[in-house]
Amino acid sequence: MTALDTGARVWAGLAVPPSSGLMFIVGVLLAGALAGEFIAATTRLPRVVGYTLAGCVAAAFGHGVGMPLAGAAQTVTDLALGLLLFEIGSRVHLRWLRRNPGLALTSLAESLLSALAVAFVLRLFDLSWQTAIACAILAMPAPAAVSGRVAMELGAEGQVTQRASLLTALNTLYAVVALTLMRTWWAADDGGSLPQALAGLSISLLTTLGLAALLAGAVYLVARRLDLRNESAVLLLFGLVAFSIVAARAIGVSTLLMPLLAGLLLRNTSERPWVWPRHFGTSGGALVLMLFVIVGSAWSPKILVAGGFAALALMAARFIAKTAAIVLLAPMAKASWRQGLALSITMTPLSATALVMLSELMRAEPELAAGAVPIILASIAVLELVGPIAVQFALRLAGELPPAPARRQHKEDRE
C-alpha cells in the first residue's frame, strides 16, 4: 500500500457527510447573502430585495421549499419570525391606543375592511365561502419581517415607522386569533362537538398566554441582572426566545401568537425601556436573512398559474381596502393625509406571517386549505418581492429616511 493510498483511507475515515438540513441552511444563507450584497451594491434598493430574489430564482428552477413547511425550513422560519414578533411586541406600548383612540379604530378598520373586501372579491370567482374566508384571514396581517427590516436597514425613524410596527403587531394578533376561531368553527361544523372544540380552543389560548408570560418573566429577570446591550447577554436573550419558540412548536401552540404576546407583556407591564441589538445581533440577523430566502422560494410556476386572476384580485382588494381605511381615518388618528398614505403603503407586503399561518392550516385542515394554497402562495410570491420596494417608497414619502451620508453612517454603525 502506497503512502497515497494510506492518506486517502485516513481522509475517508475523517470525512463526515453533512446532513441535508445543514446543507440547506448553509446554501440558503450563502445565496441570500450574495444576492443581498449584489442588490445593495448595484441599486438603491434594500438588501431584502436580494434575499427574496435569491429565493425566487430557486423556486423558478424547481428548488423552492415544499408546503406545508417541514424540517430545516420550518425550524428557521419559526425561529426567525418568532424573534421578529417578540421584538416588535416589545416595542409596542398599548397605552398609545388609549391616548389616541383613532389609531385603535384605524387598526380595527384596516384589518376588518381588508378581510371583508378579499372575501367578497374571491366569492366573485366562484370560490366557496370557506375558502374565501380562509384567504381573507391569511391576507389580513402585514409582515413584521419586511417593514421592520427595511426600516432598520435604511435608518428610518418617525411616526409612520412607529405606527407601522403597531399596526403590524395588532393585525397579526387579529389574524392568528381569527384563524384559530375559524378552525374551531370548522371542526365543530364537520361533525365534531362544539363544546369540545371550544374547550380545546380555550386550553390552547391559555397555554399560549402562559408560555408567553413565562418568557416575558424570564427576560425581565435576565434584564435586572445583565445589560441587554452586551453581546453575552444578547446571546442569552436569544436562547430564551428560541427555546420558548421550540417549546411552543413541541406542545402545539401558536409560534406566532406566543412570542408576540410575550413581547407585548414585557413592554406593557413595565415602564423600563427595552433596548438590545436589532434582530438579537448577528445570530438573529442570519435567521432573518434565511427567512426571506425561504419565503421567496415558497412557490412554483404551476402555483402562479393556478393562483391566476384570483391572486391579482386579492392583492388589489387588500391594498384598496387597507389604503381607504388608513387614509380616511388619518385625521382621527392625528396624522396627515401624507402620513396616512405612506402608512397604508407599508401594509402592502404579504410574507412570512401568512406563509406560516397557511402551513399550519394545511397541516390541521388540508381540505379547507386546498383552495387557498395557490391564491395565497401566488400573492406572497408577488408581494414578497414588491413589498420591500413599496415600504422604501412609503418611508421616503413620509420623509422619515435620513439623508444619504447619514444613512451610510447608520449602516456603518450597525455593522
Side-chain angles (χ1 to χ4, degrees), residues 238-249:
F238 176 89
L240 285 173
V241 178
F243 177 80
S244 299
I245 294 167
V246 172
R249 172 64 64 185

Side-chain angles (χ1 to χ4, degrees), residues 265-280:
L265 286 172
L266 184 66
R267 181 66 184 94
N268 292 277
T269 55
S270 171
E271 293 300 321
R272 175 176 181 165
W274 300 98
V275 181
W276 54 74
R278 295 298 294 268
H279 303 340
F280 299 88

Side-chain angles (χ1 to χ4, degrees), residues 250-303:
I251 63 180
V253 300
S254 174
T255 55
L256 299 175
L257 190 58
M258 187 281 297
L260 178 58
L261 286 177
L264 289 171
L265 286 172
L266 184 66
R267 181 66 184 94
N268 292 277
T269 55
S270 171
E271 293 300 321
R272 175 176 181 165
W274 300 98
V275 181
W276 54 74
R278 295 298 294 268
H279 303 340
F280 299 88
T282 304
S283 302
L287 284 173
V288 172
L289 185 158
M290 290 188 283
L291 173 68
F292 283 109
V293 180
I294 290 170
V295 176
S297 70
W299 60 276
S300 66
K302 183 179 178 181
I303 286 289

Side-chain angles (χ1 to χ4, degrees), residues 67 118-119 121-139 298-300 302-318 350 354-355 358 362 368-384:
M67 290 292 289
V118 168
V121 167
L122 291 183
R123 282 289 291 161
L124 299 179
F125 287 84
D126 293 327
L127 295 174
S128 67
W129 271 113
Q130 291 89 340
T131 299
I133 293 173
C135 288
I137 294 173
L138 293 170
W299 60 276
S300 66
K302 183 179 178 181
I303 286 289
L304 287 182
V305 174
F309 290 107
L312 292 175
L314 179 149
M315 289 184 278
R318 178 178 181 269
L350 187 67
L355 186 71
L358 177 62
M362 290 174 68
L368 178 60
V373 168
I375 300 171
I376 295 298
L377 289 184
S379 301
I380 289 175
V382 176
L383 294 180
E384 173 75 357

Side-chain angles (χ1 to χ4, degrees), residues 93-103 334:
H93 208 313
L94 297 180
R95 187 177 300 171
W96 193 6
L97 299 178
R98 292 201 301 269
R99 294 197 303 262
N100 189 349
L103 194 54
K334 301 178 183 178

Side-chain angles (χ1 to χ4, degrees), residues 43-57:
T43 71
R44 294 183 178 181
L45 299 177
R47 288 178 173 84
V48 174
V49 176
Y51 304 156
T52 303
L53 195 58
C56 290
V57 171

Side-chain angles (χ1 to χ4, degrees), residues 211-259:
L211 189 56
L214 287 175
L215 174 58
V219 172
Y220 179 80
L221 291 176
V222 167
R224 291 185 62 184
R225 300 285 188 274
L226 302 173
D227 182 359
L228 295 182
R229 292 168 293 185
N230 179 274
E231 184 178 355
S232 299
V234 170
L235 287 175
L236 177 58
L237 181 60
F238 176 89
L240 285 173
V241 178
F243 177 80
S244 299
I245 294 167
V246 172
R249 172 64 64 185
I251 63 180
V253 300
S254 174
T255 55
L256 299 175
L257 190 58
M258 187 281 297

